[in-house]
Amino acid sequence: MGIGTTEEHQALADSVRGLATRTTEHAALAGQGILGLHLPEECGGQGYGLLELCVALEALGERRVPGAYLPTVLTSAALTWPGPARPAGGAVTAASLIAGLADGSVTAAVAFPAEDGDPGRVLALGSPEADLFLVPVDGRGWAVLDRADVVAEPADGVDLDRPLCYVAARTMPADRVLGEVPVRELAAVLLGADACGVAAWAVRTAAEYAKVREQFGRPIGQFQGVKHRVAAALVTLEQARAAVWDAARALDATPGGGPGGEIRAEDVTGGGLGDKARAEDVTGGGLGDEVRLAVGVAGVLGTEAAVRCVADAIQVLGGIGYTFEHDAHRYYRRALSDRMLAGDPGPWAEEVAGLAAAGVRRAMEPDLPEEAGAVRDAIRAEAESLRAEEPLARLGRFAREGWIMPYLPRPWGRDASPLEQVIIHQEFRDLKRPNLGIAAWAVPSIVRYGTREQQERFLPRTFTGEIVWCQLFSEPGAGSDLAGLATKATRVEGGWSLTGQKIWTSLAQFAHWGICLARTSPEKAKHNGITYFLVDMASPGVTVRPLKEINGDEVFNEVFLDDVFVPDDLVVGAVDEGWRVARDTLSHERVALGDSWGPGSQHTDMAELIATLPPLRQSQREQAGRLWAEGQAISALGLRVTLSKLSGVDAATASSVRKLLGMRHAQAISEFCWSLAPASRRWNRMILATRAFTIGGGTTEVQLNIIAERALGLPRDP
């Protein structure tokens, strides 16, 4: 869905892509207001923010637009950044420069200080013929210099479409030294947005090629190796988009930081742009810790994603992708250049790890529309009323009033809109609504496909916890491939007789009822001829045998069905059409697993563990920072899905993307924490327990197939 989450963002991206298809001239971009999206209207801008600028930069990156637009908007963002070190005075000159950058009459180059090398001669993104040069000043922050104030010469770069140059200051006018400006952080986010566009091109190009390129008599997109490579690239892209999106909104939320900061009327005296910045203010740019954390996550994930995605695209393209005959090499060059300019992800990861270990956290709360106030007042009153109840009475009201699964239609839920669901989640945090477990997957299917009698019989007692459910889907010969299930349902008087074996059935030894798939028409192929049953686990012929798992727990079970009678009134949906019901159940399973095993608590636990240990080695700090960044981006992805639903934007594949990322991330966190504390009882258990996460609820491979086929349109296996 791109970096943007709203219909307005989508329209902006479409407009920019359309313009870039017709022309890539700098003046044309300026003429359409793209260079001033983030700038205040009084400076010739559009009055939006960095988030809208990132939406446009992603679209331009997707078209690999050449020229000076990126260093130009980065310079204008720096000039309008409000900081406590910005003095009174200098706004006249600043405003004139900003207006020129916005209308395209002035171009800029931005220098990036190297970790080592000659501090007086630095590499810059932009042409040596640029009008302005944003350069670091040793101990004094940054300065915006005219071409006459610098010595600039071309530099060889890997990107063939965007020039680099070496810059050395010839003179340093005092009135051109800026105050506290987070240029490094702004650059990481804007370059990350450009990189997301590059990665989006790579994913789309690889998918389209895989649909039509044939080998061994069929499209290569049917080969699982190709399919999974392209799907994994999309997952990488979505994670990077979430990171860049969150960093841009964090910067926009900085006091005075968006749209484009503020040029105050009382500042319009004198001709300078700024005073000397303190040396200790140069790093971090005066940003709050939470904002620095969000930007650091973008620094870790943003530009790296483009390098990985384009490399995968070249692999899918094969030989043609390694020639000048195809544009892939130009996108790869752009991706490498973006990563180089944004800075090695390693130091960004170390910074993230340090902030997280120090207790810094990034709040993930949606910005709600104005009409949310009245909705919140009503829901808050209901929540207060529930708090006053005794626990058992409160549980009864939860069930009767539809608070447990509020998105369900009445009377089982509250028919809550996405906005109401968000507010209920916020206002009910401390009320501890019951966790339905596997019933949370079954209930929506019974509501959608079950009869009224089935709903009234099972749902009220399920909501109060009187009925515990298990899921009888997987079999020894049919795990994720439910089309191969062998459990048979034979027609008998008044119902069906079920015979077969189920496996990996969580909590079957405690369940009262099970949702079960069985084949009612064996002559029909694959998913046809399957029926969805409700099975009483106390029925004669049901045998449950617990399985001891590698961590010593007994959660999984084998379940043997030996001529188990199920009456007709316990068939959900139509006979032979149970796969439709099962798909509905599985979709809720993936959402539930992604929520309950999401990375939020686990990467917080990692940070808390690190805070109790001696200082980590550099490699460990980098690894911890990368893991934190991945976890925070998964949380941001979840928030993006919520906001997309609120604004009516489709995010159909997000559940599989989040589930895949969350399960894989939980394993990585456990492995890393165990390596730090191998004698810890908790992490000894977790490293073993999380090994099942990429198997249960649809294996990693199944999730990649879903993403490839549903999101990218790759062909199914014949």
Side-chain angles (χ1 to χ4, degrees), residues 366-369 417-420 422 641-649:
D367 296 323
L368 300 181
S417 68
L419 176 61
E420 290 170 321
V422 170
V641 171
T642 298
L643 292 174
S644 296
K645 290 180 179 179
L646 288 173
S647 63
V649 175

Side-chain angles (χ1 to χ4, degrees), residues 121-468:
R121 182 174 181 266
V122 291
L123 187 66
L125 172 61
S127 167
E129 301 302 317
D131 301 299
L132 296 177
F133 292 81
L134 180 60
V135 299
V137 182
D138 185 27
R140 292 192 293 165
W142 295 80
V144 178
L145 304 179
D146 292 325
R147 189 188 308 168
D149 296 325
V150 303
V151 175
E153 58 186 54
D156 290 333
V158 69
D159 189 344
L160 301 180
D161 303 306
R162 203 168 55 186
L164 300 176
C165 63
Y166 284 113
V167 179
R170 190 196 308 271
T171 60
M172 186 66 64
D175 64 351
R176 289 302 187 90
V177 177
L178 300 181
E180 189 176 357
V181 180
V183 174
R184 170 177 172 263
E185 288 77 9
L186 289 167
V189 175
L190 300 188
L191 287 163
D194 184 69
C196 285
V198 172
W201 175 90
V203 171
R204 186 184 68 253
T205 298
E208 293 302 319
Y209 185 78
K211 293 176 190 177
V212 299
R213 177 73 166 100
E214 292 193 357
Q215 286 283 299
F216 307 106
R218 56 183 177 140
I220 64 172
Q222 285 185 345
F223 300 137
Q224 188 159 278
V226 174
K227 183 178 293 187
H228 288 184
R229 182 181 292 274
V230 181
L234 177 59
V235 170
T236 298
L237 167 60
E238 290 299 334
Q239 191 174 46
R241 280 172 166 162
V244 171
W245 168 82
D246 187 50
R249 61 194 285 270
L251 288 168
D252 277 339
T254 300
E262 183 180 4
I263 302 294
R264 298 173 298 170
E266 59 266 30
D267 287 341
V268 187
T269 57
L273 291 183
D275 201 353
K276 294 183 179 180
R278 296 169 297 167
E280 60 268 27
D281 289 336
V282 174
T283 300
L287 300 176
D289 286 344
E290 184 180 329
V291 179
R292 290 171 57 210
L293 184 64
V295 171
V297 169
V300 173
L301 300 174
T303 57
E304 180 70 22
V307 176
R308 291 170 57 186
C309 289
V310 183
D312 283 336
I314 292 174
Q315 188 71 22
V316 171
L317 291 167
I320 190 64
Y322 191 67
T323 68
F324 264 73
E325 300 295 319
H326 199 284
D327 281 344
H329 75 100
R330 290 185 176 271
Y331 280 91
Y332 188 54
R333 292 167 180 270
R334 174 65 62 87
L336 291 170
S337 178
D338 279 342
R339 185 176 66 178
M340 179 270 295
L341 292 167
D344 183 349
W348 283 112
E350 286 192 76
E351 185 171 342
V352 167
L355 290 166
V360 180
R361 300 291 180 266
R362 173 72 175 140
M364 292 291 174
E365 292 291 342
D367 296 323
L368 300 181
E370 291 183 7
E371 60 266 26
V375 177
R376 185 179 300 280
D377 289 342
I379 291 173
R380 182 169 292 173
E382 296 275 12
E384 288 297 329
S385 173
L386 285 161
R387 286 188 188 93
E389 299 278 12
E390 293 296 325
L392 285 178
R394 184 186 306 137
L395 177 60
R397 285 187 57 188
F398 277 151
R400 291 192 306 274
E401 297 174 13
W403 295 109
I404 297 177
M405 302 180 78
Y407 62 88
L408 293 176
R410 295 179 186 274
W412 314 118
R414 300 184 64 84
D415 207 14
S417 68
L419 176 61
E420 290 170 321
Q421 292 174 50
V422 170
I423 295 174
I424 290 170
H425 174 74
Q426 293 174 332
E427 296 296 327
F428 278 60
R429 278 196 178 107
D430 64 325
L431 284 172
K432 296 183 179 179
R433 288 175 290 172
N435 181 357
L436 297 184
I438 292 166
W441 315 339
V443 165
S445 297
I446 295 174
V447 169
R448 183 174 182 182
Y449 293 100
T451 64
R452 186 69 179 184
E453 291 74 16
Q454 289 170 346
Q455 294 165 2
E456 292 176 347
R457 177 178 177 182
F458 292 107
L459 298 187
R461 295 172 64 208
T462 297
F463 288 142
T464 57
E466 298 171 69
I467 296 178
V468 176

